[in-house]
Amino acid sequence: MISLSDIPARPSAWITPPMIALALLLLAAPYLLPAVGLYQYLGIEIAIWIGFALGFNLLFGYTGLHSFGHGAYLGIGAYAFGLFQHHVAVSLWGGLLAAVLAAGIAGAMVGAFLSHRRGIYYALLTIGFGQIFWFLAMKLHRVTGGEDGLLGIPRPPMTIGPWQIALTDNRALFYFTAVLLLATVVLAWRLANSPFGRVLQAIRQNETRARFIGYDVWRFKWAVFTLSAMLAGLAGSLLAMAQQSAYPDVMSLHQSGLVVMMVLVGGGLVSFWGPVLGVVFYFVARDVLGGLTETWLLWYGLTFMAMVMLRPEGLAGMLHGLRQRCARLQHASRQHPQPATEKA
């Protein structure tokens, strides 16, 4: 199986060709999606979940920490954004900041308990804490609305100095989400290719050895969990804006399992861009297969099982292997050119 370190990276680069390609695709998405029979709101969903998955992959793919209750921080961000709009002020930047801080504080508190553990114990504790947050969202009716959720969350306009841009239209909201997604991509890329990211990979490879050579493993595990929760909170705030509501379902084990499946199918364990491929694959499969059969999730689940058993490197690993194979064939053709046939 390919590891993250097997795929070449340019740690000094802030902007890379894949980032430019992603930016161009996001720019064209509102026009491409209707052209292929899909709807514009799908682009908002994909952009939100890519940001969520990239933050999750810093924890899961780079550090090797299995968090199966990460949807809780997505939900905390959504509720924090909505509560800020309802009880403090109708403010875009204030709501986003409240969502990131609320999810970060929750992640820091949970991470302080988790970072002493590893393996199956770590994973089970993430499920336990995730269920606690889900239970609170269900039972605190006066705060969260219970099963009905927090409704009527406004989409505040984006204010930059004297300028104000309304985000009530889905296209405007998509471009705003896309800008935040690109900022998340750059941040995650820099972290992954920094000394901090190299320590995370060392912990993934052998936590005991990383501790032995002098790294404060607990502090790094706590920091990456908190950071991942903050990025999940940012994605949650955008989800609350898109739906104009916040529901406890996003904190359920089902939603937490979805992001794990997306990252694994996309190849987040072997590539920084794996989560992007996994999210796009999931939503396209949901809408395309969902239009053909009501049992689309069964077929997606079978695809996931086949990918885990036969191609554990995921879509990104498959593309990387195909690219290497093509490069070898080109190299072989240059080394051993076929002789020209003589004319009769």
Side-chain angles (χ1 to χ4, degrees):
M1 182 175 175
I2 307 169
S3 67
L4 282 161
S5 58
D6 293 329
I7 299 179
R10 295 176 56 201
S12 61
W14 279 85
I15 305 298
T16 64
M19 291 182 194
I20 297 173
L22 177 62
L24 293 175
L25 284 174
L26 291 172
L27 184 65
Y31 305 97
L32 292 177
L33 290 174
V36 297
L38 299 174
Y39 49 96
Q40 287 187 354
Y41 183 79
L42 178 64
I44 299 175
E45 285 188 290
I46 290 175
I48 291 172
W49 277 83
I50 287 176
F52 179 33
L54 284 172
F56 175 75
N57 197 48
L58 288 175
L59 184 69
F60 185 67
Y62 277 86
T63 321
L65 300 176
H66 304 86
S67 176
F68 297 131
H70 224 62
Y73 310 102
L74 184 73
I76 288 172
Y79 278 111
F81 182 87
L83 291 171
F84 188 91
Q85 307 306 315
H86 282 317
H87 301 294
V88 181
V90 178
S91 169
L92 174 64
W93 305 117
L96 294 177
L97 181 61
V100 172
L101 288 178
I105 291 171
M109 292 173 60
V110 173
F113 286 96
L114 296 180
S115 299
H116 292 290
R117 300 290 181 261
R118 58 182 176 179
I120 188 63
Y121 304 104
Y122 188 99
L124 290 175
L125 281 173
T126 62
I127 295 175
F129 279 108
Q131 289 297 96
I132 289 173
F133 288 123
W134 172 81
F135 180 81
L136 291 173
M138 291 285 287
K139 296 303 180 182
L140 296 176
H141 294 273
R142 292 186 177 181
V143 178
T144 64
E147 294 182 5
D148 296 329
L150 190 64
L151 306 176
I153 299 175
R155 291 184 184 178
M158 180 177 64
T159 303
I160 304 176
W163 297 282
Q164 194 174 82
I165 302 174
L167 300 178
T168 52
D169 180 65
N170 279 343
R171 180 172 295 183
L173 180 61
F174 169 78
Y175 282 123
F176 176 73
T177 304
V179 170
L180 291 184
L181 170 60
L182 292 174
T184 301
V185 168
V186 173
L187 173 64
W189 172 260
R190 291 302 305 157
L191 286 172
N193 292 284
S194 68
F196 177 79
R198 298 302 179 191
V199 175
L200 297 184
Q201 293 182 57
I203 293 172
R204 175 176 178 260
Q205 293 297 326
N206 193 314
E207 182 176 328
T208 302
R209 186 174 297 172
R211 183 180 293 108
F212 180 76
I213 61 178
Y215 291 115
D216 188 347
V217 171
W218 182 94
R219 183 165 57 89
F220 279 96
K221 289 168 66 175
W222 174 83
V224 72
F225 191 92
T226 303
L227 177 63
S228 181
M230 293 173 73
L231 292 177
L234 177 62
S237 65
L238 295 172
L239 187 63
M241 286 184 65
Q243 297 180 340
Q244 295 187 275
S245 54
Y247 299 101
D249 287 348
V250 300
M251 309 174 80
S252 65
L253 282 177
H254 172 68
Q255 296 292 325
S256 298
L258 275 182
V259 72
V260 176
M261 294 175 68
M262 291 173 182
V263 169
L264 287 175
V265 169
L269 298 180
V270 302
S271 171
F272 174 84
W273 297 103
V276 178
L277 298 176
V279 170
V280 173
F281 180 80
Y282 170 81
F283 280 103
V284 171
R286 186 195 69 178
D287 283 59
V288 174
L289 292 179
L292 300 174
T293 174
E294 294 181 357
T295 60
W296 70 270
L297 195 55
L298 169 65
W299 296 105
Y300 181 80
L302 292 174
T303 303
F304 170 75
M305 292 173 59
M307 188 74 72
V308 170
M309 291 187 295
L310 303 176
R311 294 288 185 179
E313 70 272 18
L315 296 174
M318 292 170 62
L319 292 175
H320 179 67
L322 181 62
R323 187 174 59 186
Q324 283 189 327
R325 194 174 298 113
C326 292
R328 285 196 297 268
L329 290 174
Q330 291 178 355
H331 179 72
S333 65
R334 287 195 298 266
Q335 293 292 326
H336 306 286
Q338 295 182 353
T341 56
E342 296 181 359
K343 294 183 179 180

